[in-house]
């Protein structure tokens, strides 16, 4: 194919999986964040592809070192702010960079408590969701900041149902008025601005909204007629509490748990047993996903 018959749709390159542990020491009280950074740059021309001319290339090793150097110089207050620091640096320092994408994932460390008191310098790794963020920044444009949570595994053992769906010759699923509801939440949301509010607080509010709509009050719970409805209420609650969110996406795979069939053991009597036994099955699984955005208000 002739060169004139082809056009570049996109070019980008960068450094993935740049890991670092940041510790800020304020006397005896220490703060820590462990992060993994991906940097991606788009250049103004493609001569490195078309003419093997590397004179515009910012080596991926340079990008890696930039992450370490800026972490040392500027610290890491939160991952969104650090992603903005990185994107601004690449655009300011290299005039031929036209677009920067920064993705950061944060390891879930939490301050340890000993005898009810927060520890000054000891931390424990938790498995209650991984925080991440993305900054997409084009030259001469306002950066777009997104945040999210993944690997948040939730389960409730009642107050979940799924009924009144289409039943035809292809359907074998029974209607369920009370079932185990288990899912692994992936949520991502986009902020309407990149400054002037607290990213940490916004993330915590969204996470608490997810837990609130899934579990409900601790003593009574909340009824879920479907995964779809719970997903919708979660986004609605989060966006009502965090006005800076203008778009939010949630993905909820339905991790099934089926009743063990004890009719295979007719000689055994399980009548009156308070024990229920299920077989968790992660594949195949249903997967429910939706994205909601704030409706644009009509101008008067």
């Amino acid at each position: 194919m002739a060169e004139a018959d082809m056009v570049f749709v996109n070019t980008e390159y960068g450094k993935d999986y740049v890991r670092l542990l940041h510790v800020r020491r304020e006397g005896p009280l220490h703060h820590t964040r462990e992060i993994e950074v991906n940097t991606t740059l788009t250049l103004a021309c493609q001569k490195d592809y078309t003419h093997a001319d590397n004179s515009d290339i910012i080596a991926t090793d340079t990008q890696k070192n930039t992450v370490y150097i800026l972490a040392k110089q500027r610290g890491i207050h939160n991952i969104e702010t650090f992603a903005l620091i990185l994107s601004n640096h690449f655009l300011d320092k290299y005039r031929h960079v036209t677009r920067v994408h920064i993705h950061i994932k944060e390891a879930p460390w939490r301050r340890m408590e000993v005898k009810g008191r927060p520890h000054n310098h000891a931390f424990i790794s938790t498995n209650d969701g991984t925080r991440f963020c993305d900054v997409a920044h084009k030259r001469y444009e306002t950066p777009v900041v997104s945040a999210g949570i993944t690997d948040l595994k939730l389960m409730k053992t009642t107050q979940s149902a799924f009924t009144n769906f289409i039943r035809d010759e292809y359907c074998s699923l029974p209607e369920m008025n009370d079932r185990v509801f288990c899912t692994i939440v992936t949520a991502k949301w986009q902020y309407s601005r990149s400054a002037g509010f607290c990213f940490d607080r916004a993330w915590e509010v969204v996470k608490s909204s997810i837990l609130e709509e899934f579990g409900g009050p601790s003593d009574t719970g909340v009824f879920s007629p479907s995964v779809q409805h719970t997903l919708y209420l979660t986004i609605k609650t989060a966006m009502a509490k965090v006005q800076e969110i203008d778009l939010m996406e949630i993905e909820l795979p339905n991790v099934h748990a089926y009743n063990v069939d004890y009719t295979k053991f007719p000689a055994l009597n399980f009548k009156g047993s308070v024990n229920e036994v299920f077989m968790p099955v992660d594949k195949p699984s249903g997967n429910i996903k939706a994205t909601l955005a704030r409706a644009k208000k009509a101008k008067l």
Side-chain angles (χ1 to χ4, degrees), residues 258-274:
Y258 297 114
N259 291 87
V260 173
D261 182 9
Y262 286 101
T263 60
K264 299 175 182 178
F265 312 99
L268 300 177
N269 182 11
F270 299 108
K271 187 176 181 180
S273 174
V274 298

Side-chain angles (χ1 to χ4, degrees), residues 17-18 20 34-38 79 103-108 130-133 150-151:
Y17 314 121
V18 182
L20 68 90
E34 182 183 347
I35 65 172
E36 184 177 277
V37 182
N38 295 355
I79 58 174
H103 175 80
I104 301 180
K105 181 173 67 174
E106 181 173 358
T130 299
R131 179 176 175 177
F132 68 90
C133 78
T150 188
D151 300 325

